[in-house]
Structures are given as C-alpha cells and as structure tokens.
Amino acid sequence: MKAVILAGGLGTRLSEETALRPKPMVEIGGLPVLWHIMKTYAAHGIDDFVVCCGYKGTVIKDWFVNYRRRMSDLTVDLGRDEVTVHTPHDEPWRVTLVDTGAETMTGGRLARVREHIGDETFCLTYGDGVADVDLTAEIDFHRQQGGLATMLAVQPPGRFGALVLGPDETRVDQFQEKPDGDGAWINGGYFVLEPAAIDTITGDDTVWEQGPLRDLAHRGELSAFRHTGFWQPMDTLRDKNLLENLWAAGEAPWKVW
C-alpha cells in the first residue's frame, strides 16, 4: 500500500520557520516532521510514499537524495574526492517526489500524482501533523465500510483556559487550563482512499477538503474513523514548540516505532 503526503503548501502561519524551507521540513528533534509522519506509516508496514512537493520542493528532494549520508558517519577524503559511509543508516522506503506546482490546491496535488498511485487502496495525509493513530485499524475499518473514502475524525481540545463563574458572575468557581473542546469531530487528516475518489477532483484549483469531501459525503461514500488518542497539527510556532518539548522529554505519543 502507498501513502500520499501533501507537502507543497506555503505554511504562512509558521513563517518563522518556512521562509527558507517548506513546512514538512521543519524539524522536531533534529529531523523533519515529514520524517516523523513517514515513520508512523512505516510502523504499520507502509513504506512506499508519494510526496506532493510544491513550495521549495527542491529542499525536500535534496534531503532525501542525501538521506543516507545525512544519517550515517562519514569519512571524507578531500584529496581523492571520495566519501566513505560507515555503518549506513537506511530506511527501507521507496519515496517518489513529485513537483505538483507552487500554487496547486490540495485536491489538485492529489490528482497530479494519480499515475503514481495505481489501482489499489492508498493512504493520504498532510505533511504537517502527527498522531498515534492505529493506521492498521483504520485501513481495516475502511475495507469493512466498503466506501471510497475514510477520514480520521478527531476532537481537538480547547485552546484557551476556561472559566466557570459563580452566581454573581464576578468570582471564578472553577478554572481549567486545558479544557475539553466543544465535542465536535473534525478532519484529522489521515485518510484511506480508493483511487476512484480522485475522480471528484476537477483541476488544480480543487480544494480536497471542500468539493470532493462534500461530494463523497453526499453520496454516502465517506466514513469516519474516530480517534481519541494523541493528535497535533503543526500550524504555528506554538505548535512546533509543543511537539519539540514532547520529543525532548521522551514523551512523544506519536513515536510508535
């Protein structure tokens, strides 16, 4: 099974990091968040990836081309112009890197890599969020449902502290720093799809989260796999620092490998 990763957006809300590199290449623990996502898939036996590049896509391509040397000890003989790799650290991954355009929307990016997907069930996710999702269970669920698409459904926590005011509305009876959200389920980004789902995409300007998903839902072809574990997008510097701190403390829930 293949996993398609959308990695071409501008990442404007994380401009502190994305001025020089695409958001999927922002590092957590010294390695791109894209690597973390791929390690999650690999832990479930999925090691054939199609990465949809766009903004500063050459940074992603160069990183993977030089992956073996980046991850291994080296001896560089400058006189002979030779590099010896010691104890090479490789991943058994096949990574197809496709330039899907700088301005292409999420649906358009998926349509542009159609030829690399084949005719079998595949996974799709964004290159900027991590989770401890049981991908094996989600794939099994998708097959049981028999539809064209399955979406990971998550309930994000509230972002701001919540107050419970007393009867006079001037004294605080209770304060919760990290309150529960409003209970709504939202798109968690980890999809399992049939190739026919791509037929709902009309062109480069198609936003996957709008027309295609609404169409699939209207036709009864979209299922929701509910996930109540860890899920965290990396949209802002605050999100990036949260993930970095969890990794540094050895408490990263998404590290399932």
PDB file of all heavy atoms in Angstrom, residues 21-45:
ATOM      1  N   ARG A  21      12.421  27.040   4.144  1.00  0.00           N
ATOM      2  CA  ARG A  21      12.128  25.636   3.868  1.00  0.00           C
ATOM      3  C   ARG A  21      10.638  25.394   3.937  1.00  0.00           C
ATOM      4  O   ARG A  21       9.906  26.111   4.634  1.00  0.00           O
ATOM      5  CB  ARG A  21      12.864  24.733   4.856  1.00  0.00           C
ATOM      6  CG  ARG A  21      12.587  25.062   6.321  1.00  0.00           C
ATOM      7  CD  ARG A  21      13.445  24.226   7.247  1.00  0.00           C
ATOM      8  NE  ARG A  21      13.383  24.692   8.626  1.00  0.00           N
ATOM      9  CZ  ARG A  21      14.065  24.148   9.608  1.00  0.00           C
ATOM     10  NH1 ARG A  21      14.849  23.107   9.389  1.00  0.00           N
ATOM     11  NH2 ARG A  21      13.978  24.625  10.845  1.00  0.00           N
ATOM     12  N   PRO A  22      10.131  24.365   3.252  1.00  0.00           N
ATOM     13  CA  PRO A  22       8.706  24.049   3.336  1.00  0.00           C
ATOM     14  C   PRO A  22       8.351  23.504   4.711  1.00  0.00           C
ATOM     15  O   PRO A  22       9.202  22.934   5.406  1.00  0.00           O
ATOM     16  CB  PRO A  22       8.521  22.987   2.246  1.00  0.00           C
ATOM     17  CG  PRO A  22       9.872  22.371   2.085  1.00  0.00           C
ATOM     18  CD  PRO A  22      10.858  23.458   2.357  1.00  0.00           C
ATOM     19  N   LYS A  23       7.115  23.690   5.113  1.00  0.00           N
ATOM     20  CA  LYS A  23       6.713  23.303   6.468  1.00  0.00           C
ATOM     21  C   LYS A  23       6.991  21.836   6.807  1.00  0.00           C
ATOM     22  O   LYS A  23       7.402  21.536   7.934  1.00  0.00           O
ATOM     23  CB  LYS A  23       5.239  23.640   6.708  1.00  0.00           C
ATOM     24  CG  LYS A  23       4.823  23.437   8.154  1.00  0.00           C
ATOM     25  CD  LYS A  23       3.553  24.183   8.509  1.00  0.00           C
ATOM     26  CE  LYS A  23       2.358  23.710   7.768  1.00  0.00           C
ATOM     27  NZ  LYS A  23       1.092  24.197   8.372  1.00  0.00           N
ATOM     28  N   PRO A  24       6.797  20.890   5.882  1.00  0.00           N
ATOM     29  CA  PRO A  24       7.108  19.495   6.227  1.00  0.00           C
ATOM     30  C   PRO A  24       8.563  19.249   6.593  1.00  0.00           C
ATOM     31  O   PRO A  24       8.887  18.219   7.179  1.00  0.00           O
ATOM     32  CB  PRO A  24       6.723  18.729   4.950  1.00  0.00           C
ATOM     33  CG  PRO A  24       5.693  19.583   4.311  1.00  0.00           C
ATOM     34  CD  PRO A  24       6.136  20.986   4.570  1.00  0.00           C
ATOM     35  N   MET A  25       9.450  20.206   6.264  1.00  0.00           N
ATOM     36  CA  MET A  25      10.863  20.043   6.581  1.00  0.00           C
ATOM     37  C   MET A  25      11.252  20.755   7.876  1.00  0.00           C
ATOM     38  O   MET A  25      12.423  20.729   8.276  1.00  0.00           O
ATOM     39  CB  MET A  25      11.725  20.569   5.432  1.00  0.00           C
ATOM     40  CG  MET A  25      11.528  19.810   4.125  1.00  0.00           C
ATOM     41  SD  MET A  25      11.770  18.026   4.305  1.00  0.00           S
ATOM     42  CE  MET A  25      13.532  17.955   4.597  1.00  0.00           C
ATOM     43  N   VAL A  26      10.297  21.385   8.554  1.00  0.00           N
ATOM     44  CA  VAL A  26      10.564  21.953   9.874  1.00  0.00           C
ATOM     45  C   VAL A  26      10.874  20.795  10.824  1.00  0.00           C
ATOM     46  O   VAL A  26      10.170  19.782  10.842  1.00  0.00           O
ATOM     47  CB  VAL A  26       9.359  22.771  10.374  1.00  0.00           C
ATOM     48  CG1 VAL A  26       9.573  23.235  11.810  1.00  0.00           C
ATOM     49  CG2 VAL A  26       9.137  23.973   9.459  1.00  0.00           C
ATOM     50  N   GLU A  27      11.901  20.945  11.609  1.00  0.00           N
ATOM     51  CA  GLU A  27      12.428  19.815  12.374  1.00  0.00           C
ATOM     52  C   GLU A  27      11.839  19.694  13.775  1.00  0.00           C
ATOM     53  O   GLU A  27      11.609  20.693  14.461  1.00  0.00           O
ATOM     54  CB  GLU A  27      13.953  19.926  12.475  1.00  0.00           C
ATOM     55  CG  GLU A  27      14.649  19.782  11.127  1.00  0.00           C
ATOM     56  CD  GLU A  27      16.153  19.871  11.240  1.00  0.00           C
ATOM     57  OE1 GLU A  27      16.659  20.212  12.331  1.00  0.00           O
ATOM     58  OE2 GLU A  27      16.835  19.588  10.232  1.00  0.00           O
ATOM     59  N   ILE A  28      11.619  18.466  14.161  1.00  0.00           N
ATOM     60  CA  ILE A  28      11.276  18.088  15.537  1.00  0.00           C
ATOM     61  C   ILE A  28      12.348  17.096  15.971  1.00  0.00           C
ATOM     62  O   ILE A  28      12.514  16.041  15.361  1.00  0.00           O
ATOM     63  CB  ILE A  28       9.883  17.432  15.630  1.00  0.00           C
ATOM     64  CG1 ILE A  28       8.803  18.363  15.072  1.00  0.00           C
ATOM     65  CG2 ILE A  28       9.586  17.025  17.072  1.00  0.00           C
ATOM     66  CD1 ILE A  28       8.655  19.662  15.821  1.00  0.00           C
ATOM     67  N   GLY A  29      13.104  17.444  16.995  1.00  0.00           N
ATOM     68  CA  GLY A  29      14.183  16.570  17.430  1.00  0.00           C
ATOM     69  C   GLY A  29      15.268  16.403  16.389  1.00  0.00           C
ATOM     70  O   GLY A  29      15.905  15.346  16.299  1.00  0.00           O
ATOM     71  N   GLY A  30      15.485  17.423  15.565  1.00  0.00           N
ATOM     72  CA  GLY A  30      16.552  17.379  14.575  1.00  0.00           C
ATOM     73  C   GLY A  30      16.193  16.691  13.277  1.00  0.00           C
ATOM     74  O   GLY A  30      17.033  16.578  12.391  1.00  0.00           O
ATOM     75  N   LEU A  31      14.954  16.238  13.134  1.00  0.00           N
ATOM     76  CA  LEU A  31      14.506  15.570  11.911  1.00  0.00           C
ATOM     77  C   LEU A  31      13.184  16.173  11.450  1.00  0.00           C
ATOM     78  O   LEU A  31      12.344  16.550  12.273  1.00  0.00           O
ATOM     79  CB  LEU A  31      14.343  14.067  12.148  1.00  0.00           C
ATOM     80  CG  LEU A  31      15.658  13.288  12.326  1.00  0.00           C
ATOM     81  CD1 LEU A  31      15.392  11.939  12.972  1.00  0.00           C
ATOM     82  CD2 LEU A  31      16.343  13.115  10.976  1.00  0.00           C
ATOM     83  N   PRO A  32      12.978  16.282  10.139  1.00  0.00           N
ATOM     84  CA  PRO A  32      11.760  16.914   9.623  1.00  0.00           C
ATOM     85  C   PRO A  32      10.492  16.226  10.119  1.00  0.00           C
ATOM     86  O   PRO A  32      10.459  15.002  10.288  1.00  0.00           O
ATOM     87  CB  PRO A  32      11.907  16.764   8.102  1.00  0.00           C
ATOM     88  CG  PRO A  32      13.364  16.574   7.867  1.00  0.00           C
ATOM     89  CD  PRO A  32      13.877  15.827   9.057  1.00  0.00           C
ATOM     90  N   VAL A  33       9.455  17.022  10.325  1.00  0.00           N
ATOM     91  CA  VAL A  33       8.181  16.436  10.741  1.00  0.00           C
ATOM     92  C   VAL A  33       7.693  15.446   9.686  1.00  0.00           C
ATOM     93  O   VAL A  33       7.004  14.463  10.004  1.00  0.00           O
ATOM     94  CB  VAL A  33       7.137  17.533  11.025  1.00  0.00           C
ATOM     95  CG1 VAL A  33       6.744  18.274   9.755  1.00  0.00           C
ATOM     96  CG2 VAL A  33       5.900  16.948  11.712  1.00  0.00           C
ATOM     97  N   LEU A  34       8.076  15.663   8.427  1.00  0.00           N
ATOM     98  CA  LEU A  34       7.740  14.713   7.366  1.00  0.00           C
ATOM     99  C   LEU A  34       8.316  13.333   7.671  1.00  0.00           C
ATOM    100  O   LEU A  34       7.654  12.309   7.460  1.00  0.00           O
ATOM    101  CB  LEU A  34       8.280  15.237   6.030  1.00  0.00           C
ATOM    102  CG  LEU A  34       8.093  14.343   4.800  1.00  0.00           C
ATOM    103  CD1 LEU A  34       6.626  14.079   4.537  1.00  0.00           C
ATOM    104  CD2 LEU A  34       8.748  14.986   3.577  1.00  0.00           C
ATOM    105  N   TRP A  35       9.544  13.281   8.168  1.00  0.00           N
ATOM    106  CA  TRP A  35      10.171  12.007   8.545  1.00  0.00           C
ATOM    107  C   TRP A  35       9.375  11.330   9.651  1.00  0.00           C
ATOM    108  O   TRP A  35       9.161  10.112   9.626  1.00  0.00           O
ATOM    109  CB  TRP A  35      11.603  12.275   8.987  1.00  0.00           C
ATOM    110  CG  TRP A  35      12.361  11.078   9.486  1.00  0.00           C
ATOM    111  CD1 TRP A  35      13.102  10.210   8.740  1.00  0.00           C
ATOM    112  CD2 TRP A  35      12.462  10.619  10.845  1.00  0.00           C
ATOM    113  NE1 TRP A  35      13.669   9.249   9.550  1.00  0.00           N
ATOM    114  CE2 TRP A  35      13.285   9.477  10.849  1.00  0.00           C
ATOM    115  CE3 TRP A  35      11.936  11.069  12.042  1.00  0.00           C
ATOM    116  CZ2 TRP A  35      13.591   8.781  12.013  1.00  0.00           C
ATOM    117  CZ3 TRP A  35      12.241  10.377  13.211  1.00  0.00           C
ATOM    118  CH2 TRP A  35      13.052   9.245  13.192  1.00  0.00           C
ATOM    119  N   HIS A  36       8.928  12.092  10.635  1.00  0.00           N
ATOM    120  CA  HIS A  36       8.139  11.536  11.736  1.00  0.00           C
ATOM    121  C   HIS A  36       6.854  10.895  11.207  1.00  0.00           C
ATOM    122  O   HIS A  36       6.451   9.809  11.648  1.00  0.00           O
ATOM    123  CB  HIS A  36       7.790  12.636  12.742  1.00  0.00           C
ATOM    124  CG  HIS A  36       8.960  13.149  13.520  1.00  0.00           C
ATOM    125  ND1 HIS A  36       9.237  12.738  14.815  1.00  0.00           N
ATOM    126  CD2 HIS A  36       9.941  14.032  13.207  1.00  0.00           C
ATOM    127  CE1 HIS A  36      10.330  13.350  15.258  1.00  0.00           C
ATOM    128  NE2 HIS A  36      10.765  14.145  14.294  1.00  0.00           N
ATOM    129  N   ILE A  37       6.194  11.580  10.276  1.00  0.00           N
ATOM    130  CA  ILE A  37       4.957  11.052   9.695  1.00  0.00           C
ATOM    131  C   ILE A  37       5.225   9.752   8.954  1.00  0.00           C
ATOM    132  O   ILE A  37       4.486   8.766   9.094  1.00  0.00           O
ATOM    133  CB  ILE A  37       4.336  12.108   8.751  1.00  0.00           C
ATOM    134  CG1 ILE A  37       3.900  13.336   9.545  1.00  0.00           C
ATOM    135  CG2 ILE A  37       3.160  11.519   7.979  1.00  0.00           C
ATOM    136  CD1 ILE A  37       3.574  14.543   8.691  1.00  0.00           C
ATOM    137  N   MET A  38       6.299   9.736   8.183  1.00  0.00           N
ATOM    138  CA  MET A  38       6.638   8.536   7.425  1.00  0.00           C
ATOM    139  C   MET A  38       7.001   7.374   8.345  1.00  0.00           C
ATOM    140  O   MET A  38       6.682   6.214   8.061  1.00  0.00           O
ATOM    141  CB  MET A  38       7.767   8.854   6.453  1.00  0.00           C
ATOM    142  CG  MET A  38       7.353   9.868   5.390  1.00  0.00           C
ATOM    143  SD  MET A  38       8.731  10.559   4.447  1.00  0.00           S
ATOM    144  CE  MET A  38       9.077   9.244   3.304  1.00  0.00           C
ATOM    145  N   LYS A  39       7.665   7.672   9.459  1.00  0.00           N
ATOM    146  CA  LYS A  39       7.986   6.616  10.426  1.00  0.00           C
ATOM    147  C   LYS A  39       6.715   6.010  11.021  1.00  0.00           C
ATOM    148  O   LYS A  39       6.660   4.803  11.301  1.00  0.00           O
ATOM    149  CB  LYS A  39       8.861   7.188  11.545  1.00  0.00           C
ATOM    150  CG  LYS A  39      10.301   7.479  11.134  1.00  0.00           C
ATOM    151  CD  LYS A  39      11.128   6.208  10.932  1.00  0.00           C
ATOM    152  CE  LYS A  39      11.537   5.582  12.254  1.00  0.00           C
ATOM    153  NZ  LYS A  39      12.457   4.423  12.040  1.00  0.00           N
ATOM    154  N   THR A  40       5.690   6.830  11.205  1.00  0.00           N
ATOM    155  CA  THR A  40       4.423   6.317  11.709  1.00  0.00           C
ATOM    156  C   THR A  40       3.817   5.337  10.724  1.00  0.00           C
ATOM    157  O   THR A  40       3.350   4.254  11.097  1.00  0.00           O
ATOM    158  CB  THR A  40       3.449   7.473  11.982  1.00  0.00           C
ATOM    159  OG1 THR A  40       4.020   8.367  12.946  1.00  0.00           O
ATOM    160  CG2 THR A  40       2.119   6.952  12.520  1.00  0.00           C
ATOM    161  N   TYR A  41       3.807   5.703   9.452  1.00  0.00           N
ATOM    162  CA  TYR A  41       3.281   4.788   8.435  1.00  0.00           C
ATOM    163  C   TYR A  41       4.121   3.512   8.365  1.00  0.00           C
ATOM    164  O   TYR A  41       3.580   2.404   8.268  1.00  0.00           O
ATOM    165  CB  TYR A  41       3.264   5.472   7.069  1.00  0.00           C
ATOM    166  CG  TYR A  41       2.039   6.318   6.833  1.00  0.00           C
ATOM    167  CD1 TYR A  41       2.095   7.696   6.912  1.00  0.00           C
ATOM    168  CD2 TYR A  41       0.809   5.730   6.535  1.00  0.00           C
ATOM    169  CE1 TYR A  41       0.972   8.474   6.698  1.00  0.00           C
ATOM    170  CE2 TYR A  41      -0.329   6.492   6.323  1.00  0.00           C
ATOM    171  CZ  TYR A  41      -0.246   7.867   6.404  1.00  0.00           C
ATOM    172  OH  TYR A  41      -1.364   8.622   6.204  1.00  0.00           O
ATOM    173  N   ALA A  42       5.447   3.672   8.392  1.00  0.00           N
ATOM    174  CA  ALA A  42       6.326   2.507   8.288  1.00  0.00           C
ATOM    175  C   ALA A  42       6.111   1.530   9.439  1.00  0.00           C
ATOM    176  O   ALA A  42       6.261   0.318   9.276  1.00  0.00           O
ATOM    177  CB  ALA A  42       7.786   2.959   8.239  1.00  0.00           C
ATOM    178  N   ALA A  43       5.748   2.060  10.605  1.00  0.00           N
ATOM    179  CA  ALA A  43       5.483   1.199  11.757  1.00  0.00           C
ATOM    180  C   ALA A  43       4.287   0.285  11.501  1.00  0.00           C
ATOM    181  O   ALA A  43       4.128  -0.739  12.173  1.00  0.00           O
ATOM    182  CB  ALA A  43       5.235   2.049  13.006  1.00  0.00           C
ATOM    183  N   HIS A  44       3.444   0.650  10.532  1.00  0.00           N
ATOM    184  CA  HIS A  44       2.287  -0.171  10.168  1.00  0.00           C
ATOM    185  C   HIS A  44       2.488  -0.868   8.826  1.00  0.00           C
ATOM    186  O   HIS A  44       1.525  -1.280   8.176  1.00  0.00           O
ATOM    187  CB  HIS A  44       1.027   0.699  10.140  1.00  0.00           C
ATOM    188  CG  HIS A  44       0.599   1.172  11.497  1.00  0.00           C
ATOM    189  ND1 HIS A  44      -0.270   0.450  12.300  1.00  0.00           N
ATOM    190  CD2 HIS A  44       0.956   2.267  12.214  1.00  0.00           C
ATOM    191  CE1 HIS A  44      -0.448   1.104  13.437  1.00  0.00           C
ATOM    192  NE2 HIS A  44       0.285   2.195  13.415  1.00  0.00           N
ATOM    193  N   GLY A  45       3.757  -0.968   8.413  1.00  0.00           N
ATOM    194  CA  GLY A  45       4.075  -1.730   7.214  1.00  0.00           C
ATOM    195  C   GLY A  45       3.915  -0.984   5.910  1.00  0.00           C
ATOM    196  O   GLY A  45       3.992  -1.592   4.833  1.00  0.00           O
TER     197      GLY A  45
END
